[in-house]
Each structure stands twice: as structure tokens, then as C-alpha cells.
Amino acid sequence: MTESPEFNRRSVLAGFGSIPLALGTRPAGQAPPPTGGPGEPMPATLLRGAGLLLTMDPAVGDGPLGILRDADVLMRGGKIAAVGRRLPARRGVRVLDAGGRIVLPGFVDVHNHLWQSSIRGGCGNQDLYGWLASCNRGTLARIGPRDMYRFARLAALDALQAGVTTVVDWVHPVPYETSVQHIKALDDSGLRFVYAMTQGPADADLLLRVKRELLDPLPLASAHISTHAGMATLGPLRRTTELARHLGVMLNSHVLEHPGDRGDDPVRALRLAGALGPDLLMNHAIHLTDDEIALIAEHDVRVAHCPLSNMRLASGIIRLPALHARGVKVGLGHDGGTNDTSDMFNVMKAAVGLQRASHRDPGVHPSIPAVLRMATLGGAECLGMADHVGSLSPGKRADVLVLDPGTLNFAPRYDWVGQIVLNGQPPNLSHVFVDGRMRKADGVLVGVDTDAVVREAERAAARVRDTMATTGPPRGANG
């Protein structure tokens, strides 16, 4: 291979103390390079010469996606330190050759239930209500703290290797000891995460304790308060809304996922509870009326769209163009066990394809650039986190993906922006950085024994199945 002038320049810089590494060239069997674990200093990292850089910041690059070509990204101290061409590689900087690669911000998954990895593929012939009754309720009731760790860790690592760097994990009511293990699994994975807690009104002290003792000490963790919205529970909804405001966190609720949810009148309940505003995240919101869309737009309510789950459960198709026309902020989510995968590429394709199929219009929202934004900066905006994640803007946290397009499923080059959405797959992601730490290198999760993780999850699932076979399904559990 002929050396380019840029390659020679990097070699010279390496002689003055930088650490050159070629992406994708680690010898077989050799461990990924050290990344700086918790409490250890993180090496500054320079991604050199990316063929395509999607910053999602028009102030940094061209167009709405902030595109640069043959450009560099410097990460230092967990932040994006600089973006541009031919950035200097100073002494001690780890240099990764990103030539011919695509670099973009990490994906933001605004709605998930990670424990539901325990029931992947289950109840595949059911709608939402049937799935809740047949799979969800009976399983959750039988997962103890240690097995919760195993299921949550499996799903968190799956999300991480697939390019999700921030996840909102909507957690059903669980004991404190189970929250301890659940949060430990998320923290051990290296993800940036929001723990969206649900408890009954009588257990508000448990929510406070989880936030204060388990979440606040973790730099990558934050909290939401999750709730059920309905007229029959308006009093508890008001108290939950007040608690979320007192804690300064978002309120997070499933809304109109199934046509039958109309009987709860959730939007009216949320309005009467004083919950409408930019600190409310509605999950699914499929069956909103015109008046309800206008109402949530007026109050800057945020929406999580989970197209693969909605398809699987025959729940319907969200009115995404109508929401977009009103300026409603919408992000993308996986939705746990009914998504069956942590593949944000598939979620983006489904979000585009559902609208095109239902409207029979290839120009309908979301476009390819729009859905890429939904998966990154748009998701961060939904969570009120756009000031520090979602784009490769200098000063933001360094949540970064490196994508290899030189593969059978992606090549040849035609329109890389379109190919990210239409051809991309998790194995295309060679490197994943969260807060500047390398979590995936050369296609392998760093410091993770994935075989052991899978074995432990299989054993946990076998224990749950054995318990269910012995005791039968529980009655009266909440979905």
C-alpha cells in the first residue's frame, strides 16, 4: 500500500510521543488496548482522517448533519476537545487512524426495558395486552436481584456493542435490593444511562433513596420518575408529578400505546395533574388525536417512538409527520423485549419505512437525515441532555461511534449517509466510546467476557422458567 503524505505525517508525530493505532488492525487473539477504567486517567484520543464525519452540529460542519470529510476528532478528559482537519497530535495522545471510516455521535435510546432480555422472542403472536399477561408479568415477578443483574447486563452490553451510548431504562416497581443490582449492571456496562423508576405513591421514600444512594454518586447515571397516566389514578399521578418536579427530574409515562388505552384518557389525566411540559416524556403516543398533538406541542412535551415494538405488537403507526409539523421533539427507542434486538439501524429503517408505507410517499417525514438526527441529537433533546450529548460539538461529552463501511453488507460506496440507515448493522461499528472511554475496539467489547455473560443469563432464564413451571402464573401483577 502506498503511504500518503498524511500517513507519513502521523508517523513523524508518533516519534514525538503520540501513540499510533490503526483501526481494525489488532492481531488476532490480542486484547484491545487499555482504555482507562473508572478512577484511572483516560488517555486523550485523536481519531484521524475520518472519511465522513457526522457531527450533528451545523455550526461545526456542513448542512443539518454538520458533515465534514477527511476530518479529525480529538477526545480529552471525557469531552470532545476539538473537531477539524489536521488537528495536531501532541505528546501522549493516542492516535487512531479513521481513514475510510465513518464517525458519528453515539445513539440515544430514549425508551427501553433492559430486564426484558429475559423474554426475548416470547409471546410472538400476542398484542400488547396479551404479551403483558403472558410474558411480562409472570417473568418479572420471579426475577431476584442477582438474576436481574444478569439480564440487565446482557441487554446493556448488547446495546453498547450496537452503538447505544445513552439509554433510558424504564423500570417496573422492584424492591430496593433489585434496584441495587439493576443499577450495578448498568454501571458495570459503561453505558450512560437514565434509570426511570416506578413505584406506588406509598413508596416515594424508596424513589428518593434509590436516587440519593445509588444514582447520584455515578457520573454516567441520572434518574426519571416513571408513572401510569390515567383518570382512575389522577390523585397518585398528581403526587408523582410533584415528586418529579421536587427532584428536578423528568416524568416518564407510557401513553396511548394500544387503542384500548383510550379508556384511561391519559392525556387528559396528565393535563389535569399539571404534568404537561418539557419535563414529560411520553412513550409510544401512537393514538393521539389532532387536539392532543396540538396540546402536547403547545407544552413542548417529548415523545419516544419505538417502531419495531409497535410493529411486533400490532399497536399501530405513530403520527410522526403530524408531530413533526407541530414541532414536537421525538426520539427513538427499542422498548425492551418486544423490540427483540438492540439494533438502532433497524429502528431507524423501521421509522422511515413505516411512514413511507402508510403514506405511500417517499418524501414523508422522517427523511434519512431526519431519522439519523432522531437517533442521536434528537434523542438527547427529548431527554433534556442536548447540552452535553447527541452531537460531536467541542465541549460535549465524548460519546462517539466509528463505523467501518468496508464490509459485504455496506460496500460499495454510493451514498454513505443513506447507507448508514439502510445498510448499517451493529457489526459495522468497530469502535464505541462513552465519555471518552473506549468500550468497543476492533469490533470487540473491551474487558468483557461475553461468553460468560451469556452463560449467566441462560442460567438465570432457566431458574425463572423452573420457578414458573412450579408455581404457575401470578395474579394481579402490574404490567
Side-chain angles (χ1 to χ4, degrees):
M1 182 178 73
T2 303
E3 294 185 352
S4 67
E6 177 60 14
F7 182 87
N8 288 330
R9 179 176 180 272
R10 288 197 299 275
S11 300
V12 172
L13 288 169
F16 287 94
S18 62
I19 308 169
L21 296 170
L23 294 182
T25 59
R26 178 170 53 87
Q30 180 177 319
T35 65
E40 301 174 13
M42 283 182 289
T45 301
L46 179 64
L47 300 177
R48 171 71 79 196
L52 179 69
L53 180 59
L54 276 62
T55 69
M56 300 295 162
D57 186 346
V60 175
D62 298 329
L65 300 185
I67 290 176
L68 292 171
R69 292 175 174 81
D70 300 317
D72 309 335
V73 177
L74 176 63
M75 296 175 270
R76 181 186 294 120
K79 294 183 178 182
I80 303 293
V83 177
R85 296 183 177 90
R86 291 177 289 281
L87 298 177
R90 304 187 187 281
R91 181 177 297 276
V93 173
R94 172 177 55 191
V95 179
L96 302 181
D97 186 352
R101 305 290 174 108
I102 300 170
V103 175
L104 67 159
F107 296 134
V108 179
D109 175 1
V110 297
H111 184 63
N112 212 324
H113 305 279
L114 294 179
W115 73 266
Q116 290 175 355
S117 64
S118 59
I119 46 177
R120 283 174 170 167
C123 306
N125 61 343
Q126 303 278 3
D127 71 353
L128 172 65
Y129 294 166
W131 181 85
L132 288 172
S134 301
C135 273
N136 187 81
R137 293 170 183 155
T139 305
L140 177 62
R142 290 170 171 81
I143 298 177
R146 288 301 302 165
D147 284 343
M148 179 63 79
Y149 176 91
R150 295 176 176 103
F151 293 134
R153 181 156 168 76
L154 176 77
L157 291 172
D158 182 31
L160 182 64
Q161 64 87 26
V164 172
T165 54
T166 299
V167 64
V168 179
D169 194 5
W170 202 103
V171 183
H172 298 74
V174 295
Y176 179 82
E177 293 75 16
T178 302
S179 283
V180 169
Q181 293 300 321
H182 198 145
I183 291 168
K184 185 178 188 302
L186 291 167
D187 186 47
D188 287 351
S189 75
L191 276 170
R192 190 182 306 280
F193 66 94
V194 180
Y195 192 74
M197 307 175 283
T198 313
Q199 294 294 342
D203 297 321
D205 59 331
L206 185 57
L207 299 177
L208 295 170
R209 185 182 176 195
V210 168
K211 182 178 184 299
R212 182 180 65 250
E213 296 180 5
L214 303 181
L215 297 174
D216 289 349
L218 301 177
L220 297 183
S222 55
H224 284 182
I225 299 297
S226 298
T227 190
H228 172 75
M231 290 300 297
T233 55
L234 183 56
L237 177 59
R238 283 194 173 114
R239 292 191 290 275
T240 304
T241 301
E242 291 167 2
L243 176 62
R245 294 247 168 88
H246 172 71
L247 295 176
V249 302
M250 292 189 76
L251 190 69
N252 190 316
S253 181
H254 294 77
V255 174
L256 295 172
E257 180 179 1
H258 188 281
D261 296 344
R262 177 58 62 188
D264 288 339
D265 209 352
V267 178
R268 180 178 176 225
L270 289 163
R271 178 177 62 80
L272 293 175
L276 298 183
D279 52 358
L280 171 63
L281 179 64
M282 287 183 173
N283 304 306
H284 304 292
I286 298 170
H287 302 287
L288 296 171
T289 66
D290 288 343
D291 288 344
E292 288 168 338
I293 290 175
L295 181 67
I296 69 170
E298 178 185 347
H299 289 84
D300 196 18
V301 173
R302 316 302 168 82
V303 170
H305 175 36
C306 307
L308 286 177
S309 173
N310 300 160
M311 292 165 64
R312 210 261 239 179
L313 295 174
S315 296
I317 301 174
I318 193 173
R319 300 179 62 196
L320 208 50
L323 291 165
H324 176 68
R326 288 281 189 169
V328 177
K329 295 179 178 65
V330 181
L332 296 176
H334 286 99
D335 197 30
T338 55
N339 188 82
D340 302 302
T341 171
S342 296
D343 186 345
M344 188 63 81
F345 300 100
N346 265 339
V347 173
M348 289 190 288
K349 280 192 281 287
V352 171
L354 276 175
Q355 299 304 323
R356 291 187 181 185
S358 61
H359 290 267
R360 289 177 289 180
D361 177 5
V364 72
H365 178 81
S367 64
I368 298 294
V371 83
L372 275 166
R373 193 181 187 282
M374 289 172 66
T376 53
L377 183 59
E381 289 172 343
C382 284
L383 305 178
M385 298 173 70
D387 59 337
H388 62 282
V389 298
S391 68
L392 304 184
S393 306
K396 288 193 180 184
R397 306 309 300 181
D399 295 357
V400 183
L401 308 180
V402 180
L403 187 151
D404 179 7
T407 58
L408 293 174
N409 67 291
F410 207 103
R413 183 170 186 170
Y414 185 82
D415 173 3
W416 267 2
V417 172
Q419 286 167 265
I420 294 170
V421 173
L422 300 175
N423 299 91
Q425 298 174 11
N428 289 113
L429 295 171
S430 62
H431 289 67
V432 175
F433 296 83
V434 180
D435 217 48
R437 298 187 190 278
M438 189 187 295
R439 297 300 185 184
K440 183 179 183 180
D442 300 338
V444 178
L445 288 174
V446 175
V448 176
D449 184 344
T450 54
D451 289 342
V453 171
V454 171
R455 283 196 304 271
E456 288 300 311
E458 291 285 7
R459 290 169 184 158
R463 282 190 290 272
V464 171
R465 287 194 299 270
D466 289 346
T467 303
M468 292 180 72
T470 302
T471 63
R475 292 179 293 177
N478 289 325

